[in-house]
Amino acid sequence: MASSRTPSQSAIQVDALIVGAGFSGITAIHRLRKAGLTVKCMEASSDFGGVWNFNRYPGARVDSEVPFYQLNIPEVYRDWSFSERFPGHEELRDYVAHIDKTLGLRRDTIFHARVNDASWDQQKGRWTVKTEQGHVASAKYLMLASGLLHRIYIPDFPRLSDFRGDILHSAAWDPKFSAKGKKIGLIGAGATGVQLTQSLGKDAAELTAFVRRPSYCLPMKQRSMTLQEQHELKRFYPVVLGAARQSHAGFPVPPTTQAALDVTKEERERHWAYTWEQGGFSFGMQAFKDATRDRESNELTYQYWRSRIASRLTDPQKLEVMAPEQKPYYFITKRLPLEQDYYEVLNQDKVNIHNLSKIPLESFTSNGLLMADGTEYQLDAVVLATGFDSITGSLNQLGVKNKDGIDLKTVWADGVKTHMGITISGFPNLFVAYSPQAPTPFVNAVTILEAQVELAVDIIEKMETSGYKSIEATREAEIQWKKDLYAMTEGTLFPYTDSWWSGANIPGKKVEIMAYVAGIKHYEAKCRSLIEGLQGFAVDTGR
Ligand code: NA7
């Protein structure tokens, strides 16, 4: 009889199975255990940390300031302090190791377990989840926490394979790579490209930044932080982190209630100068209230930003690429990266900027990059900071099937459909953390992922208390949710900008509003009111 054992008989049996061990997966392990469920987390790589496990390029650091990029779990923050206001990737991995040690995450995590199939059995009311490595697990609930910016995007560059030098993507960095003495080409000028420019522009013999659209960077105002000041601040963490949840972007700053044209030029400039000096995202978060709605207000904000950059990027040709007189897209509608000395680094003679919007890339060659005007850059290495198949990319590769056996990728081929970003019609007892159709792209990551995990766990607790078998979103609720998302952007400047948050960075990908732009406070209140009466859900009570 032993030989007739099927994989499902030897399967891991838990209440909840989590996919991904980044910050969302970690939070899910903790919250689900606290709710009294048995859990297992499956992680494709060899460690915790998600993006911080993968993004090891020189200069990688978080753009969210202490204390907001840490979990709101007292036993975790009590014994941890960061050394800088905006921690670097090495320290973030140390922090993740501290979380693991404090919460004992490892005992419920399986590494080297890449989920490639998940199917639902309505009769049993359970998911069967399989991995490439041969694991099989059975769970009542499935929580997808596979990350927003996980699936690497490398554009289909002609003759890429001809290049004889090194090619590196920012999220798959070779730790042995050194830029010292090399001529490097860097493609991409998003948040990652900005950080890489700051490090490679110092280390390399020569750096050429290939820029299609510049980023509108804000001053980070990095500083070191003492143990003492964090120790004193920790008494207020419950209030401060609670306030982050009640804010727009996950940072508790007072919103600006005036429109740009309600005040004089001097008052405007005083306000901008003040928020500029605060550093971090303040200049964007505390922009005049009409900055993302009114073209004139947006233009005034942009021109102030440009004047600040012009005082630092003194080469007029470089300035015209990185902060052109005519802005290439509306201010704030695309991620505003934080910088430390980006413009000073760009100013150096050994740093060139090639404007791809004027002269596109023709192809790679064996020695470098060939431009459409015949110019060839001779390079030792090409670094790709070309981003990710964001938001849906990682979810679509998990092989998760709905109750009719249709893959999520197919279900979403003509557009993402969810209820609250967290649940999906046809996928009973499945929850998504750090998801599409939520404020995710515009909100401090830890704040929104904690909110989403807690919302999902609230639903699960309701199910368990009532002894229900399964729950899923209704089609009608998904249609309404999408309508609401679009309605929120009406009258704003967001829909005019191509970005990864709308899928527009990937050729052929459906372009759609995938962000809930009304902010986290609004989002959580809305979700809580829906969950309260299980509105928009179909429940199988099992009776
Ligand atoms: P992003 O923000 O998607 O940036 C990717 C960059 O790569 C951006 O400058 C793109 O230019 C550029 N890109 C993409 N495809 C091409 C091609 N084919 N040719 C030239 N340039 C190209 O990714 P990041 O990794 O910087 O940041 C992602 C998020 O991670 C960030 O927002 C933070 O939240 C953390 P484009 O702007 O499309 O013209």
Side-chain angles (χ1 to χ4, degrees), residues 29 45 134-135 169 207 230 232 237 290 303 312 327 333 339 396 429:
I29 297 174
S45 76
H135 307 92
H169 188 281
L207 173 71
Q230 284 171 86
E232 280 163 20
Y237 273 16
D290 54 351
Q303 290 303 340
R312 293 168 57 195
K327 63 180 179 314
T333 56
E339 58 81 32
N396 280 341
N429 290 4

Side-chain angles (χ1 to χ4, degrees), residues 65-337:
E65 67 194 274
V66 171
F68 300 106
Y69 202 82
Q70 60 189 311
L71 300 179
N72 189 2
I73 303 174
E75 60 267 41
V76 172
Y77 65 63
R78 199 180 50 211
D79 301 322
W80 179 263
S81 294
F82 289 102
S83 65
E84 292 177 301
R85 183 183 179 196
F86 296 92
H89 65 107
E90 294 97 341
E91 191 168 44
L92 286 161
R93 281 194 295 279
D94 290 345
Y95 170 57
V96 169
H98 164 73
I99 308 174
D100 170 27
K101 208 167 141 210
T102 310
L103 300 179
L105 301 171
R106 215 158 272 264
R107 70 170 187 269
D108 283 329
T109 307
I110 305 170
F111 296 105
H112 304 293
R114 183 179 292 279
V115 170
N116 62 1
D117 189 86
S119 53
W120 172 255
D121 183 326
Q122 184 63 36
Q123 212 183 349
K124 290 188 188 143
R126 292 185 76 83
W127 284 96
T128 300
V129 180
K130 296 180 183 167
T131 71
E132 235 172 65
Q133 291 78 2
H135 307 92
V136 182
S138 163
K140 180 171 178 187
Y141 302 103
L142 180 58
M143 176 87 78
L144 306 182
S146 54
L148 202 73
L149 297 157
H150 172 72
R151 193 171 183 186
I152 288 173
Y153 168 57
I154 296 182
D156 196 8
F157 291 121
R159 298 180 55 200
L160 179 76
S161 57
D162 285 7
F163 184 57
R164 290 197 307 247
D166 294 316
I167 300 179
L168 296 98
H169 188 281
S170 54
W173 199 256
D174 176 357
K176 293 195 286 300
F177 177 78
S178 165
K180 290 250 173 332
K182 294 197 176 121
K183 286 186 178 180
I184 297 190
L186 169 66
I187 304 180
T192 303
V194 169
Q195 294 187 339
L196 273 163
T197 301
Q198 291 175 155
S199 53
L200 298 176
K202 289 176 195 121
D203 294 346
E206 209 177 292
L207 173 71
T208 303
F210 295 88
V211 178
R212 197 164 63 180
R213 284 181 304 171
S215 279
Y216 305 150
C217 299
L218 301 181
M220 177 176 269
K221 305 274 179 191
Q222 174 72 303
R223 67 175 180 85
S224 53
M225 294 196 72
T226 64
L227 290 179
Q228 182 62 20
E229 71 175 308
Q230 284 171 86
H231 179 69
E232 280 163 20
L233 189 61
K234 277 176 195 172
R235 285 183 291 152
F236 304 106
Y237 273 16
V239 177
V240 173
L241 299 178
R245 285 275 279 270
Q246 289 301 308
S247 71
H248 184 85
F251 303 98
V253 292
T256 304
T257 51
Q258 286 162 314
L261 295 170
D262 286 349
V263 296
T264 63
K265 183 170 185 281
E266 289 69 35
E267 284 170 316
R268 270 199 301 272
E269 297 203 335
R270 226 181 3 256
H271 175 73
W272 283 326
Y274 172 77
T275 55
W276 193 268
E277 288 314 312
Q278 299 303 303
F281 293 119
S282 299
F283 185 79
M285 287 190 298
Q286 293 178 284
F288 286 101
K289 73 168 187 192
D290 54 351
T292 53
R293 295 188 160 265
D294 181 87
R295 286 180 169 75
E296 193 177 347
S297 175
N298 194 276
E299 174 66 11
L300 287 170
T301 315
Y302 175 76
Q303 290 303 340
Y304 178 84
W305 172 83
R306 183 174 189 268
S307 72
R308 299 296 301 236
I309 303 310
S311 68
R312 293 168 57 195
L313 188 55
T314 48
D315 177 324
Q317 279 167 352
K318 289 180 176 177
L319 180 69
E320 202 34 39
V321 185
M322 302 314 290
E325 179 71 42
Q326 294 255 325
K327 63 180 179 314
Y329 54 92
Y330 292 114
F331 206 73
I332 310 181
T333 56
K334 195 166 172 286
R335 168 75 144 78
L336 300 162

